[in-house]
Amino acid sequence: MPVTPRRSTRGAVFTPTAAAPPVTTDTVFAWTGAPRPADGRVYYSGFSRVTKHGTGAREARFAIGDGVVVQVEGGNDGIGMLTALWEEPADEDDDDDEDESEMMAQIHWFFRKEDLPGVMRNVKLEDNEVLLASSPNRPVTTNLPLPLLVKTIPIYSKAVYKAQFPDAERKTQWKGWAYLPKANVFWCARAYDKGARGGKVWKVDIDEWKGRGRAGLGWAVKMVQEESEDESSAGPTSRAVSVAEEASGSDDSGDDASGVDSDEDEGAPQRKGKAAAAPKRKRAAASTPRKRARAEPKKARIPHPKSSSSRLPAAVPRVEDLPADPYERALRLLHVGATPESLPCREDEYVDVLSRVEEGIESGGGGCLYIAGVPGTGKTATVHAVVKELRRKAEDGELAPFSYVEINGLKIPSPQHAYTVLWETISGQKGTSAKTALRGLEAHFGRKTGSSGVRGPRGHTFVVLMDELDQLLTAKQDVVYNFFNWPTMRDSQLFVVAIANRMDLPQHLAAKIKSRLGLQTLLFQPYDRQSLIEIVQSRQVAHPASTAEHRVLAPDAIALAATKMAGTNGDARRVLDACRRAVEVAMAADERRPVSARDMVQVLNAMSSSPVALFLRQCSPQQKRLLAALVRCIRREGVPEIPWRAVRTDHDALTRSLAESNELLSDAELLLVRSSLVATHALTSAPDTYRAPEDRRLALGMEIGEVGRVLMNEGEAWRRALAGI
């Protein structure tokens, strides 16, 4: 093809060269060994993979009993052993002319530290150690196509690994630095049943297991009695790394006889000198055992800190750690964020939620639980207490391991971001978009095996708390539908606990979502007067080091605050806030005395007589409805500025609901109401002169929480309309 020369900017004539040919990669698989027909399939003992890249080619061979790296979901790698190879015959019902059989492999999984569940009992793993997966009632193998196998890796027994890679030889030195190379070599001496309560661990001979499998005697793992904690502990020359200690970053201060830290990080560079010569002195001391002068005290069990992407709120400190002054101690305990270990007046709901979630974890399947109730009735606190109890059971070996994920609708930028939070926890992949996460979740729960990888050894039950479900609703309701639909799929291992503030939310959901909820619904009724009194009294505790009276709130004062709040919405947080303000007033007085009913009346009047409350009381019903519509839109959209079109639409819906009339304000009348609120700075209008009047944005000029609380006191209809804010 003739090329027309053209002149460059520097005046030199040049001729463009032809583009380089694209580099193509082609992979060819071929069986090795004699075929062995059985069970309608043709089995083989190995295969070869030839990868052609450009002008070169690279060959890799795989055989039964080889350790392999498998591509799993999220772009990560899993460790397994090749236990079977066969050729899957083509489907007879397939009408395609090119009916080709598929080359398949069976993988028996191994667990690394990163493959273990987030909540489980402590399992100490040494360097490069893996655990053999085994379970009497759950699958530990996966059938997958050959392209998902990445490469072969050695998996030795502990004795062979220590003989080939001694501790001294695994340390190398370069320019004065000593470091531990990260070789892709593993060893196994124990089996692990992840589905058992707490995770059962016992010893296994990996060489004998591989020998029996290669001889055609099967790949079943012998189930023996669980090893004790003393038997599973590492010897003096091996470096046992606890998952809990590594994640928390704590270092032991115990030194050996030579004065060298026994928990020294071998992976970190060390200068020549004492640090480099320390292993020699340590081996000399280990080769000549001597009697210890005194027995070392046994360390307390460290909780497993491999947490999920969501952290539970910190527990209330012990009474001994709280201030001895009763007023300062009351300020700490009456805070809304000071959630106690057990919630008063919610014992029945706690037992109900605990039994349902625990049953879902034990079954290994999936399930949904929908919890509804007005704000301040202890819904989220009850679920947090349940998860803490389940975590304790899993760490103590009373419950199967699981992982916990919390998704709050008010803390994520968009409802679709919930896909990203769940997918990053399941796959371990970070920085994924919502669309990529949705595709990964659909393939994960749909049990689809494709080029993106398989589920791998990380498959265990995930408990997902979806708080503020009202904020995750979209026009299509696709986010809520997916999170309620995935637990119903076969072997999903997903249990979703959804919390919403609207009692009538299921009535506004699509029929396909209602069918997923089923009968797993729990309603939290508002607190009554006696329950609110008991909640406040439970937070007045005595200090063992103080003889002062710990009841800084008089019973009449507590009863007055409880009666006031029980008559509105039964919000326990408002009662605690009022009592805490009353304690602050008592501390500011010249002479400290218990808070009386008169003091509580002054505090309640001050709370109801704030500038926002006084302003809203003087507003007209049309102005209140417009403010309520803006508050609802802000909570629903999650942004402080709302277009005028959305506010007007919500105002019309509120008018039909509150006024029980279809007589709506005209556009001119509604603009007059908006102008009056803008003139008093209750609303702020953005100067979007380039936008159409319908698209100009409005913002609230007051604190949204205070506006919502004052408007909810207008009546029962207002409370229903503003539920959730």
Side-chain angles (χ1 to χ4, degrees):
M1 177 179 179
V3 179
T4 303
R6 56 191 180 92
R7 188 172 299 275
S8 67
T9 57
R10 295 187 177 183
V13 178
F14 72 96
T15 302
T17 58
V23 179
T24 59
T25 302
D26 190 13
T27 304
V28 179
F29 295 90
W31 295 117
T32 59
R36 183 173 56 87
D39 302 332
R41 298 174 177 174
V42 180
Y43 290 87
Y44 296 87
S45 60
F47 72 94
S48 64
R49 182 185 63 194
V50 178
T51 304
K52 299 179 181 179
H53 185 78
T55 59
R58 183 174 56 186
E59 182 181 6
R61 290 184 174 271
F62 297 77
I64 296 296
D66 288 347
V68 291
V69 176
V70 184
Q71 182 181 356
V72 297
E73 295 172 336
N76 299 317
D77 294 332
I79 303 300
M81 184 162 290
L82 203 56
T83 57
L85 293 169
W86 72 92
E87 191 166 351
E88 192 76 26
D91 191 0
E92 297 179 358
D93 298 334
D94 195 356
D95 298 334
D96 295 341
D97 297 336
E98 299 179 358
D99 292 340
E100 296 182 357
S101 57
E102 188 175 10
M103 305 173 72
M104 300 292 293
Q106 185 183 68
I107 302 299
H108 193 112
W109 296 108
F110 287 83
F111 295 109
R112 297 167 296 180
K113 286 183 291 188
E114 56 267 27
D115 299 328
L116 298 177
V119 181
M120 56 173 289
R121 189 174 54 180
N122 277 345
V123 177
K124 293 184 178 180
L125 296 179
E126 298 185 30
D127 293 333
N128 297 55
E129 182 185 4
V130 292
L131 303 176
L132 178 62
S134 177
S135 177
N137 52 9
R138 298 191 181 186
V140 294
T141 61
T142 301
N143 299 336
L144 46 86
L146 297 188
L148 294 181
L149 303 181
V150 180
K151 61 181 178 180
T152 59
I153 56 172
I155 301 179
Y156 300 112
S157 63
K158 183 176 182 179
V160 175
Y161 178 82
K162 295 296 182 181
Q164 293 191 8
F165 304 96
D167 294 342
E169 295 182 3
R170 283 188 291 135
K171 277 192 174 182
T172 59
Q173 297 180 4
W174 179 75
K175 291 186 178 181
W177 295 90
Y179 63 94
L180 177 65
K182 296 182 179 179
N184 204 2
V185 181
F186 300 93
W187 62 274
C188 178
R190 293 181 292 175
Y192 176 64
D193 185 3
K194 186 170 58 174
R197 292 191 172 185
K200 185 179 179 182
V201 181
W202 66 95
K203 292 183 178 180
V204 66
D205 189 347
I206 191 68
D207 292 334
E208 179 186 357
W209 178 70
K210 288 193 295 185
R212 294 177 65 255
R214 288 172 175 172
L217 301 179
W219 294 91
V221 182
K222 295 181 180 180
M223 304 291 294
V224 296
Q225 186 177 2
E226 183 176 6
E227 67 174 354
S228 62
E229 187 69 21
D230 297 337
E231 294 176 354
S232 63
S233 60
T237 59
S238 61
R239 176 177 176 265
V241 180
S242 172
V243 180
E245 295 173 358
E246 179 173 322
S248 60
S250 60
D251 297 328
D252 296 337
S253 59
D255 298 336
D256 57 4
S258 60
V260 180
D261 190 359
S262 59
D263 285 340
E264 178 183 349
D265 189 0
E266 297 179 358
Q270 302 289 340
R271 278 289 182 185
K272 264 188 176 181
K274 293 183 179 181
K280 294 184 179 180
R281 294 198 299 269
K282 187 174 181 180
R283 290 197 308 273
S287 61
T288 308
R290 61 179 181 178
K291 190 175 181 180
R292 292 182 178 269
R294 59 178 181 177
E296 296 182 357
K298 188 176 181 180
K299 296 181 180 179
R301 182 181 60 84
I302 303 176
H304 197 288
K306 186 182 177 183
S307 60
S308 62
S309 60
S310 304
R311 295 184 180 272
L312 293 173
V316 178
R318 298 180 304 173
V319 181
E320 295 80 3
D321 300 334
L322 293 174
D325 183 79
Y327 291 88
E328 295 181 0
R329 186 168 65 254
L331 288 180
R332 293 278 299 274
L333 295 178
L334 290 174
H335 195 277
V336 177
T339 305
E341 293 294 336
S342 60
L343 295 177
C345 309
R346 290 300 181 198
E347 292 81 4
D348 296 339
E349 290 83 355
Y350 171 82
V351 174
D352 195 358
V353 176
L354 178 63
S355 60
R356 296 188 186 187
V357 180
E358 186 175 3
E359 181 182 357
I361 296 175
E362 288 288 357
S363 63
C368 297
L369 176 61
Y370 175 71
I371 301 176
V374 297
T377 53
K379 303 182 298 297
T380 305
T382 300
V383 176
H384 283 166
V386 167
V387 174
K388 289 180 181 179
E389 176 64 18
L390 295 175
R391 174 170 293 179
R392 183 199 62 79
K393 288 187 175 183
E395 292 172 353
D396 293 343
E398 303 175 8
L399 184 67
F402 67 96
S403 292
Y404 171 70
V405 188
E406 182 172 342
I407 303 174
N408 193 311
L410 296 176
K411 297 181 180 179
I412 56 178
S414 64
Q416 289 75 17
H417 190 73
Y419 298 141
T420 303
V421 176
L422 180 58
W423 177 242
E424 288 181 352
T425 306
I426 292 178
S427 65
Q429 187 178 7
K430 302 299 181 182
T432 57
S433 62
K435 292 183 179 180
T436 303
L438 178 59
R439 288 195 297 266
L441 290 171
E442 289 178 346
H444 176 83
F445 295 112
R447 305 291 292 175
K448 298 177 181 179
T449 301
S451 59
S452 61
V454 294
R455 180 172 295 188
R458 295 189 178 184
H460 53 268
T461 302
F462 287 84
V463 178
V464 180
L465 171 60
M466 300 184 65
D467 203 358
E468 302 293 345
L469 186 67
D470 319 63
Q471 308 301 322
L472 298 178
L473 290 177
T474 58
K476 297 182 180 179
Q477 300 182 1
D478 52 346
V479 176
V480 177
Y481 170 74
N482 287 330
F483 273 88
F484 286 160
N485 181 50
W486 288 330
T488 62
M489 294 185 176
R490 179 178 176 270
D491 195 23
S492 64
Q493 296 181 332
L494 179 68
F495 195 95
V496 176
V497 181
I499 298 178
N501 294 322
R502 294 176 55 182
M503 306 287 287
D504 59 344
L505 181 62
Q507 302 176 7
H508 299 277
L509 298 177
K512 59 181 181 180
I513 303 179
K514 294 180 184 179
S515 63
R516 267 68 181 176
L517 288 177
L519 301 177
Q520 298 289 332
T521 304
L522 184 61
L523 298 179
F524 276 57
Q525 299 297 334
Y527 288 113
D528 55 6
R529 175 179 176 274
Q530 187 60 34
S531 299
L532 294 175
I533 293 176
E534 184 177 348
I535 290 174
V536 177
Q537 289 179 347
S538 65
R539 302 202 177 196
Q540 297 188 99
V541 295
H543 197 280
S546 176
T547 58
E549 177 61 35
H550 63 278
R551 298 182 180 89
V552 298
L553 291 164
D556 295 342
I558 300 176
L560 182 61
T563 304
K564 174 71 174 178
M565 299 305 170
T568 55
N569 57 357
D571 193 342
R573 294 174 294 189
R574 296 282 291 169
V575 177
L576 294 175
D577 190 17
C579 294
R580 193 170 187 269
R581 292 189 183 185
V583 174
E584 291 177 349
V585 173
M587 292 180 63
D590 297 335
E591 182 180 356
R592 289 188 177 183
R593 54 181 176 79
V595 178
S596 61
R598 180 176 299 178
D599 299 332
M600 185 61 69
V601 170
Q602 296 178 358
V603 171
L604 293 176
N605 291 336
M607 293 177 62
S608 60
S609 302
S610 62
V612 175
L614 294 176
F615 170 77
L616 292 177
R617 288 175 185 173
Q618 299 176 358
C619 291
S620 64
Q622 292 81 8
Q623 291 175 328
K624 293 180 181 178
R625 285 196 288 267
L626 185 60
L627 290 172
L630 181 58
V631 169
R632 282 160 49 104
C633 292
I634 292 175
R635 287 302 191 188
R636 186 186 307 114
E637 301 296 334
V639 293
E641 297 180 352
I642 304 298
W644 170 244
R645 178 188 290 105
V647 178
R648 188 183 61 182
T649 303
D650 200 271
H651 174 270
D652 295 344
L654 271 178
T655 302
R656 296 188 184 95
S657 175
L658 298 177
E660 298 181 356
S661 174
N662 291 327
E663 297 181 0
L664 305 178
L665 297 179
S666 63
D667 294 342
E669 293 173 339
L670 201 55
L671 286 176
L672 288 177
V673 175
R674 188 186 74 172
S675 300
S676 63
L677 292 175
V678 171
T680 58
H681 301 284
L683 295 182
T684 303
S685 179
D688 299 336
T689 56
Y690 59 92
R691 295 178 182 267
E694 298 291 331
D695 297 332
R696 295 181 181 177
R697 296 166 296 172
L698 288 177
L700 193 63
M702 299 173 288
E703 202 274 322
I704 186 172
E706 185 70 18
V707 175
R709 285 192 293 267
V710 174
L711 292 178
M712 289 180 69
N713 295 331
E714 294 291 326
E716 183 64 27
W718 286 84
R719 283 197 294 271
R720 290 197 303 267
L722 295 173
I725 65 171

